[in-house]
Amino acid sequence: MDTSKAAWLVILAGLFFANLPFFTRRLFCVFKLDKQKNFALHMLEWFVFYLLLGLLGAALEGAIGNRAAQGWEFYVITACLMLVFAFPGFVFRYLVKR
């Protein structure tokens, strides 16, 4: 896989994983809950999916070539980008009147 396709795959996976906690009622899309998920569970899921996305990106980068060393700035920027990606799911779950 070339660099451009890997980058687009990570971006599209980021959009999907960022919104997934808000569009499903199950915890991590697997475990059925007795009650509705609260905001803390949504954020826990979001964080775990952020870590999984980081692993996917690292694996793709390793498959293409050498992995670059990342500082704390990289992780702050990618977390903020993931929060921006999660905005549509947040609006759908919490701000749209039903």
Side-chain angles (χ1 to χ4, degrees):
M1 178 178 294
D2 66 343
T3 307
S4 178
K5 288 180 185 176
W8 279 108
L9 177 65
V10 170
I11 291 171
L12 292 175
L15 281 168
F16 178 73
F17 284 140
N19 288 296
L20 189 60
F22 299 105
F23 286 109
T24 181
R25 295 182 189 265
R26 293 178 176 258
L27 187 63
F28 301 111
C29 301
V30 177
F31 305 108
K32 187 173 182 181
L33 299 174
D34 296 335
K35 58 181 180 165
Q36 190 173 7
K37 288 192 294 188
N38 57 12
F39 185 72
L41 281 177
H42 282 130
M43 288 297 99
L44 174 70
E45 276 186 298
W46 175 88
F47 184 71
V48 170
F49 287 142
Y50 169 70
L51 294 176
L52 289 175
L53 183 66
L55 289 175
L56 172 68
L60 287 174
E61 188 178 12
I64 292 171
N66 293 336
R67 289 193 50 218
Q70 307 297 341
W72 66 269
E73 297 92 346
F74 172 79
Y75 297 106
V76 170
I77 290 171
T78 56
C80 290
L81 184 61
M82 186 93 164
L83 281 173
V84 170
F85 283 170
F87 184 71
F90 176 82
V91 168
F92 176 76
R93 176 61 56 204
Y94 290 106
L95 301 178
V96 173
K97 301 276 186 197
R98 297 188 202 279

